[in-house]
Amino acid sequence: MNETEIIDVLREFLWAGVRMGAPIILSALIVGIVIGLFQALTSIQEMTLTFAPKLLVLLIVFWLNAGSMSQTLADLFRRSVIPIIAGA
């Protein structure tokens, strides 16, 4: 295994991490913007108002995407890591 193969596998894993993390990060961003606008419009400056809904949305999005995330990791491992271990 040479440096090019290592970089290719690393690149695949990094892009998989971006694809798996994107729904969670985007949902946190959207909820944060909506709550920030709500706070600016109503002049409510409560810290738990930003934390609790964001946490709830993140948990829901993670729960909904956990199956596809694990499938992505399993496919990536099967396609990239196992052939390297087997020496193919």
Side-chain angles (χ1 to χ4, degrees):
M1 181 167 193
N2 58 19
E3 296 85 19
T4 307
E5 292 172 345
I6 293 172
I7 291 172
D8 288 340
V9 170
L10 180 62
R11 184 181 304 120
E12 284 184 54
F13 272 92
L14 288 174
W15 277 114
V18 168
R19 285 191 308 270
M20 289 185 300
I24 295 173
I25 292 173
L26 289 175
S27 64
L29 176 69
I30 292 169
V31 170
I33 289 172
V34 168
I35 291 174
L37 286 173
F38 176 74
Q39 283 183 326
L41 292 173
T42 59
S43 298
I44 298 174
Q45 297 302 320
E46 180 65 33
M47 291 305 294
T48 57
L49 183 62
T50 60
F51 181 73
K54 214 184 278 190
L55 180 64
L56 182 66
V57 168
L58 290 179
L59 288 174
I60 291 171
V61 170
F62 179 75
W63 182 70
L64 291 174
N65 289 324
S68 67
M69 287 180 189
S70 62
Q71 187 65 38
T72 300
L73 282 177
D75 290 342
L76 190 60
F77 187 78
R78 193 176 308 116
R79 192 177 64 236
S80 298
V81 177
I82 291 179
I84 292 171
I85 293 172

